[in-house]
Amino acid sequence: METAVWRLRSRGCWTDAAELLAPRATEPAAALERAALLIERCLYTEQGWGEAEEALRAAEAVTRTDEERGAAACERGYLAYASTLLGVRDRADEARAALGRAAALIAPDTPTRALLDFRRGLIAQNLAESPQAARAAYLRAHTAATEHGDILLLSFTWRHLAGLALREGELKEARHGFTESLRIREELGYLVGTAPALASLAEAETEPEAGRLRAEAERLFRLLGGVPTWLAAQLTPRPAI
């Protein structure tokens, strides 16, 4: 089951992956994973908000422990963040409150805490526009993901730390982080996240390598049916100067 869900998720088939977990919707872990899949679909496709909300409420209803309640709050904060970031509805206050609630419930040394720190970094960077706070949160998440062997999360922390480095003109550091993120995603077979990784690395490279990376990103983007939707703007050909 775990392998089947991963294969579908990695190819952007979140609805099918969530359907596999539907028979176990009364189990806290399965219900939360199902909600997380549908929330990720929202972020990558900008669709399915109602289904994600319904799945999350169902997951919240079956939580039993503080850790489970904290994990559900972490997902609620992420859904609210995605809605705000993509301009669907401003839920920034809800995102902050939910992640704050998660921080009070999730133990400091758990894998879920690493994911929580990463998401707090996202809010600091993209909603609060505080790169220093974002860097600190990403570094905490990166360290914890390394300790817990969360390889997929490491691909995200590498990429976002590299993005901050790129903004500061640290090309060598940015290139290294983007390269590590891409390497991990290719090794894991995380296809839906490979195009964004290629496009990000292209931003830190010079021509002709940058053009080759963008072309490969566009090929994968089209192969997956235009997912993630927000990548289209980054792949738009730039006018000659």
Side-chain angles (χ1 to χ4, degrees), residues 7 27 54 60 67 80 82 105 120 124 134 164 190 197 223:
R7 286 176 177 170
E27 301 172 22
E54 184 180 340
E60 290 169 336
E67 188 71 21
L105 292 168
R120 296 180 93 175
L164 292 176
Y190 187 52
L223 179 68

Side-chain angles (χ1 to χ4, degrees), residues 105-202:
L105 292 168
I106 297 171
D109 58 348
T110 63
T112 309
R113 189 71 181 210
L115 181 61
L116 171 62
D117 281 334
F118 172 70
R119 290 175 173 175
R120 296 180 93 175
L122 291 176
I123 287 182
Q125 180 179 357
N126 298 319
L127 302 188
E129 297 183 359
S130 176
Q132 289 184 334
R135 180 187 292 277
Y138 291 151
L139 285 172
R140 289 196 303 272
H142 190 84
T143 299
T146 301
E147 291 173 352
H148 292 288
D150 191 339
I151 307 302
L152 182 61
L153 181 56
L154 276 175
S155 81
F156 283 91
T157 55
W158 272 123
R159 181 166 173 259
H160 283 77
L161 285 167
L164 292 176
L166 184 63
R167 286 180 53 177
E168 295 170 1
E170 300 291 341
L171 286 178
K172 184 177 180 181
E173 182 181 343
R175 196 174 293 123
H176 174 69
F178 287 140
T179 299
E180 285 298 299
S181 178
L182 176 60
R183 176 186 63 78
I184 290 171
R185 292 181 179 194
E186 287 180 335
E187 289 179 356
L188 291 177
Y190 187 52
L191 289 180
V192 76
T194 300
L198 286 162
S200 293
L201 181 56

